[in-house]
Amino acid sequence: MGEITFMLTEEQIKQIIIETIATYKIDEVLAKNQLTFTEGCKYYGPNRFRKWIKSGLLKPESQNGKTNKVYYSHKKIIQLSKQWRHDLNEIS
């Protein structure tokens, strides 16, 4: 069989590397069962995250009782994020 050669520009190589790293980081974050307040604000936006907490939609929980550090259910955060996007789509 013949060999196939691809020619990529430096910009295309950079874009491939950036997309690969971004995919890895997304997978790494989504694999977490719980997030801290700081992580929640970083990944989902501080205003939205605080609003979920203030309205009682998102309640803190400890991480298996190991520490007194406050964590939030990532599953619930994802659910709220999907609902938030759905609500935005209905408005527009």
Side-chain angles (χ1 to χ4, degrees):
M1 274 225 159
E3 194 174 297
I4 299 175
T5 304
F6 291 98
M7 300 296 287
L8 298 173
T9 65
E10 184 178 339
E11 190 59 38
Q12 289 171 318
I13 293 170
K14 285 181 185 177
Q15 189 62 34
I16 290 169
I17 291 170
I18 289 169
E19 288 175 12
T20 302
I21 292 170
T23 300
Y24 169 77
K25 293 305 280 178
I26 288 169
D27 290 345
E28 183 180 57
V29 170
L30 290 177
K32 291 183 171 188
N33 291 330
Q34 296 175 315
L35 298 179
T36 64
F37 178 81
T38 304
E39 290 172 324
C41 289
K42 178 180 176 182
Y43 300 126
Y44 294 93
N47 292 338
R48 186 175 355 159
F49 201 75
R50 285 185 179 102
K51 185 177 181 179
W52 292 336
I53 293 169
K54 188 174 181 178
S55 66
L57 294 172
L58 186 60
K59 299 192 186 309
E61 53 187 48
S62 67
Q63 187 178 36
N64 301 324
K66 293 179 184 177
T67 65
N68 59 0
K69 195 169 188 177
V70 176
Y71 289 86
Y72 297 88
S73 166
H74 198 185
K75 183 177 181 180
K76 180 66 175 175
I77 294 167
I78 292 170
Q79 177 187 0
L80 289 169
S81 182
K82 286 179 181 177
Q83 180 63 43
W84 181 80
R85 277 188 249 132
H86 176 72
D87 291 345
L88 278 183
N89 288 338
E90 287 185 0
I91 293 171
S92 51

